Amino acid sequence: ERVARIFRMMGERREALEGYPLESLKMVGTLQDKTKKMFALIRTPDNNIYQVKAGNYLGQNFGVISMITETSITLKELIQDT
């Protein structure tokens, strides 16, 4: 996982929701497939809706989704020390 994050920091292709500040994204719903896998619906500031799952990236600080429940998303972010 750490190696994957380093490659992402070095300019690997980014996902669409990595272009937005995390605080500008809003979780507006969830979906669950037949195997009980959870997906979240995210609204961007320009009112587009994206479906995300664990492992997708969100926000501008290399945040990766680690868990989705009916009411929340757990995210791990890489933030630079100041």
Side-chain angles (χ1 to χ4, degrees):
E1 178 182 353
R2 187 177 193 113
V3 172
R5 283 185 175 229
I6 290 170
F7 282 128
R8 292 192 69 72
M9 290 172 56
M10 293 174 55
E12 180 182 312
R13 186 168 173 245
R14 300 185 76 165
E15 295 180 15
L17 295 176
E18 290 182 88
Y20 297 93
L22 189 57
E23 57 274 1
S24 73
L25 301 173
K26 180 174 178 157
M27 179 177 162
V28 294
T30 57
L31 302 169
Q32 192 172 35
D33 69 11
K34 292 178 183 178
T35 66
K36 308 257 184 200
K37 184 175 183 178
M38 291 292 292
F39 298 87
L41 300 175
I42 304 294
R43 179 182 292 137
T44 63
D46 45 355
N47 285 323
N48 290 320
I49 302 288
Y50 288 85
Q51 178 180 312
V52 296
K53 64 184 186 312
N56 284 136
Y57 287 81
L58 290 179
Q60 296 172 327
N61 293 321
F62 306 99
V64 64
I65 298 171
S66 57
M67 184 172 65
I68 298 171
T69 70
E70 289 183 10
T71 58
S72 68
I73 293 175
T74 303
L75 188 74
K76 294 180 185 177
E77 283 189 297
L78 181 62
I79 300 175
Q80 185 176 358
D81 289 338
T82 55

